Structure formats: C-alpha cells, structure tokens
C-alpha cells in the first residue's frame, strides 16, 4: 500500500511539473504575441509610418466646442497645414470661428507632431491645443481629436486631406 502511495505521489508530481511547463510555455508565447502586436498592426496594410510620412500641404477641418467661461460654444476650424516631414508644421492659412464669429487667423502659426510606426501620433501647438491623430493609407488623410488645450480648452474632431501636388 505504501508503495502505491509513493507511486501516485510521483505520478502527481510528474503530471504537475508537465502542466506547469505547459502553462509557462503558453504564457511565454502569449507574451511574445503581445510584444509583436504593434509591429503586426503597423504593417497589416503594408504601411509603416514615421514623422517623414507627413509631408506637404493638407486641408484640415475641425468641429467642436470651445470652453468660454464654463460654457461650451460651437467652434469650427479650417486650416492649410504644411507638414515638413521632420516633426514640424506651419499653418499656411486658417480661420477659427467660435460661436459664429471669426476670431483668429491662424496663418503663420505652427507646432510639432509625432507619428509612430503604427501610424498613430500627436500634434501640438505651443500655448494651444494638442491632438491625437491617425495617418490613413498613403498619408492621404488624417483623423484627429483634441485631447488637451493649454490656453485653448474645449473639444473637437476633424480630418485633414492631402492636397494634390503640394
């Protein structure tokens, strides 16, 4: 009887060891898959992005709300954004309209942007709003949403389309 108990104990320990090894391998493979998901996502449509992906003139429009004295007031923006391919941009022209009144010509203002390999990024205006962005296939179109606004609080979403030959 004692021999059977010893054999069963050894068998249980052996099975447990194999199960632990199998779980460890499964965890390792899962961790590897998570670690490579960004790369897989970045190249799923054959596109890998960088700041150099954005180069040229884009017509950008944004609709949203500006926070004026604690009240959300409708705003619209239309700008010509020239991306330099190096992480900087300049507005070649633009108008911000808040509550039905054009309040700012944004031509000449600029800022910085980032673009990751998975084609997501950020766009920031010094002392102004910041945005999350996504670069579409061939960098022909961008989608963005306002995330913060130093001195320009509010919210908004918009798109930018590359102008041909620019």
């Amino acid at each position: 009887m004692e021999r059977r108990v010893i054999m069963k104990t050894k068998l249980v320990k052996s099975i447990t060891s194999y199960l632990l090894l199998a779980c460890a391998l499964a965890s390792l493979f899962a961790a590897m898959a998570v670690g490579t998901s960004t790369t897989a996502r970045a190249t799923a449509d054959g596109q890998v992005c960088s700041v150099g992906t954005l180069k040229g003139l884009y017509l950008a429009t944004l609709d949203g709300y500006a926070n004026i004295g604690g009240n959300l007031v409708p705003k619209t923006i239309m700008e010509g954004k020239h991306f330099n391919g190096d992480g900087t941009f300049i507005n070649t022209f633009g108008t911000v309209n808040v509550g039905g009144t054009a309040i700012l010509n944004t031509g000449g203002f600029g800022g910085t942007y980032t673009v990751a390999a998975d084609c997501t990024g950020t766009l920031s205006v010094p002392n102004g709003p910041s945005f999350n962005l996504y670069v579409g296939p061939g960098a022909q179109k961008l989608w963005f949403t306002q995330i913060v606004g130093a001195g320009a609080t509010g919210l908004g979403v918009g798109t930018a389309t590359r102008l041909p030959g620019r």
Side-chain angles (χ1 to χ4, degrees), residues 16 44 47 56 66 69 80 86 93 143 145 147 163:
T16 303
Q47 177 172 289
D86 62 359
F93 63 88
W143 290 264
T145 185
I147 53 174
L163 298 176

Side-chain angles (χ1 to χ4, degrees), residues 20-75:
L20 288 174
L21 177 62
C23 287
L25 288 173
S27 296
L28 176 63
F29 291 135
M32 288 171 52
V34 168
T36 60
S37 67
T38 300
T39 303
R41 185 174 61 234
T43 60
D45 64 356
Q47 177 172 289
V48 176
C49 294
S50 69
V51 292
T53 303
L54 294 181
K55 198 165 189 176
L57 185 61
Y58 288 74
L59 178 61
T61 59
L62 177 133
D63 294 309
Y65 294 90
N67 185 346
I68 310 277
N71 297 311
L72 292 178
V73 178
K75 71 178 175 185

Side-chain angles (χ1 to χ4, degrees), residues 107-127:
F109 289 94
T112 60
Y113 67 94
T114 65
V115 178
D118 67 355
C119 301
T120 61
T122 60
L123 184 139
S124 299
V125 177
N127 300 314

